[in-house]
Amino acid sequence: VLGGAVCSHAKEFSLPDIAMFAWGLAAVDRTAPAEILALKQAVRQKLMGKGLEDESSQNLCMLLKAMSKLTPGDKRFLQWLLLLIFEAMEAKTMPFAAQGTTSIWSALAILKWRPEDQQLEVLCEESRQLRLDHTFNQDMAAEI
């Protein structure tokens, strides 16, 4: 029932809704192709060719980590999403909280990817701020 709702209504979901659905599917290892495809198409529809000013880094990072678990072989989609995140991070167009930064590192570990040198420097610089973030905790440090 839920899978059918995702497939038929994903294009109507907001980005936070899409991120939460992806997170939920990843949490239970549900990788039904139709549902994943519907979510990816909805993400592209929401983000392709648009600025990220009105979006939350939390949603982008949650999507990256969830999709890394669900479809680690879809390099094209994951690299595109990671590029959006790195561009926003480098341009400082949105704040990245501890949980989001941790999710990026976790997704990279899941995928066994090493970002390009410039991207790695941007991510490391953002990560240096974690020591000042009161929401950063031992579990997040262990995950990184």
Side-chain angles (χ1 to χ4, degrees):
V1 175
L2 185 58
V6 170
C7 291
S8 62
H9 296 290
K11 62 183 172 280
E12 301 164 20
F13 294 166
S14 66
L15 194 62
D17 293 335
I18 297 168
M20 288 301 291
F21 266 102
W23 176 81
L25 293 174
V28 296
D29 290 325
R30 183 176 173 111
T31 58
E35 295 165 18
I36 303 303
L37 181 61
L39 291 174
K40 287 180 181 180
Q41 288 174 339
V43 170
R44 284 194 177 103
Q45 176 189 348
K46 300 282 183 213
L47 299 177
M48 193 70 80
K50 298 177 182 159
L52 298 177
E53 297 80 28
D54 297 329
E55 300 300 342
S56 162
S57 64
Q58 178 63 26
N59 295 325
L60 295 174
C61 295
M62 189 184 332
L63 270 168
L64 177 67
K65 186 174 178 181
M67 290 302 186
S68 296
K69 288 180 176 181
L70 293 168
T71 58
D74 189 354
K75 288 183 81 167
R76 184 175 175 174
F77 179 82
L78 294 168
Q79 286 175 335
W80 170 73
L81 193 54
L82 191 60
L83 180 63
L84 290 177
I85 291 169
F86 280 134
E87 287 175 350
M89 191 178 280
E90 185 173 30
K92 304 272 188 224
T93 55
M94 63 176 56
F96 285 81
Q99 189 172 8
T101 305
T102 302
S103 292
I104 296 168
W105 284 112
S106 295
L108 290 170
I110 290 166
L111 298 166
K112 296 178 176 53
W113 286 0
R114 183 187 189 280
E116 295 176 12
D117 289 343
Q118 180 183 350
Q119 293 173 331
L120 186 59
E121 182 57 37
V122 168
L123 183 56
C124 286
E125 183 59 34
E126 192 69 32
S127 298
R128 287 182 190 101
Q129 302 300 317
L130 292 176
R131 70 187 191 292
L132 304 174
D133 189 332
H134 72 281
T135 64
F136 186 67
N137 60 43
Q138 291 177 334
D139 291 333
M140 291 178 188
E143 191 171 337
I144 290 176

